[in-house]
Amino acid sequence: MVEESLCFRAATVADAAVLGRLNHLLIRDEGHRNPMGVDELVERMRRWLADEGYEALLGFDGDDLVAYVLWRDEPDCVYLRQIFVQREHRRQGVARHLMLSVFERWPDKRLTVDVLAGNARALAFWRRMGYRDYAVLLERLPLSDDEG
């Protein structure tokens, strides 16, 4: 697929089910520790879109939903919560094209995103898109029984 064939539309609450399923794939692909199942993610997505000020842009290749980006416009920045591209459409410029569309909406506003430290591909992508390191969140996990 070439990025010129991508079409975008704003998500609605009716898209919560498909976005929840894609969010589940995103969690698995990036190695996130979020334990939520698909049903919980669908309900969370529904709540975010209906009540919590989140918006999403869906990317289609023909009738196929291939990507989405989810954000919330906050007073001091636009917080990008999630971006996901279906596996078979990765490394083809889809995420870049999707983000350029987002950037056009807020040319004069700061955009932020959280990236898992171990996700080297995502870090490289965001840096290519013009993002710069600002902060690093460090954590110390409790020792498990077999480590103590």
Side-chain angles (χ1 to χ4, degrees):
M1 179 197 60
V2 291
E3 49 185 82
E4 290 80 27
S5 67
L6 278 178
C7 303
F8 301 117
R9 79 162 169 83
T12 67
V13 175
D15 296 305
V18 70
L19 287 170
R21 287 190 301 274
L22 293 177
N23 185 200
H24 189 256
L25 295 174
L26 169 63
I27 288 167
R28 284 192 342 213
D29 286 356
E30 70 180 359
H32 200 284
R33 292 190 302 246
N34 184 334
M36 296 171 82
V38 173
D39 292 342
E40 294 169 293
L41 294 168
V42 168
E43 183 51 40
R44 181 178 73 168
M45 192 67 71
R46 184 174 285 112
R47 189 177 63 250
W48 281 351
L49 293 170
D51 303 324
E52 296 186 21
Y54 280 94
E55 299 175 70
L57 188 64
L58 308 178
F60 291 87
D61 181 18
D63 292 333
D64 296 329
L65 176 59
V66 300
Y68 77 92
V69 60
L70 178 79
W71 69 83
R72 185 168 53 195
D73 189 358
E74 299 179 348
D76 64 333
C77 69
V78 175
Y79 171 60
L80 297 173
R81 178 74 186 230
Q82 300 170 356
I83 184 170
F84 178 75
V85 177
Q86 299 265 21
R87 286 181 183 171
E88 60 273 13
H89 296 279
R90 293 180 187 163
R91 317 255 340 136
Q92 300 176 37
V94 174
R96 184 177 89 54
H97 197 58
L98 188 60
M99 287 311 304
L100 290 175
S101 180
V102 170
F103 294 162
E104 288 175 3
R105 294 170 180 246
W106 296 282
D108 299 320
K109 195 161 185 180
R110 183 173 67 103
L111 281 84
T112 64
V113 64
D114 293 321
V115 182
L116 293 176
N119 193 341
R121 279 185 145 170
L123 286 166
F125 168 77
W126 290 113
R127 289 174 179 142
R128 282 193 309 275
M129 295 303 298
Y131 282 75
R132 300 291 170 253
D133 296 0
Y134 173 69
V136 175
L137 173 69
L138 301 174
E139 68 180 358
R140 182 179 185 275
L141 299 175
L143 295 176
S144 66
D145 290 338
D146 58 341
E147 292 177 295

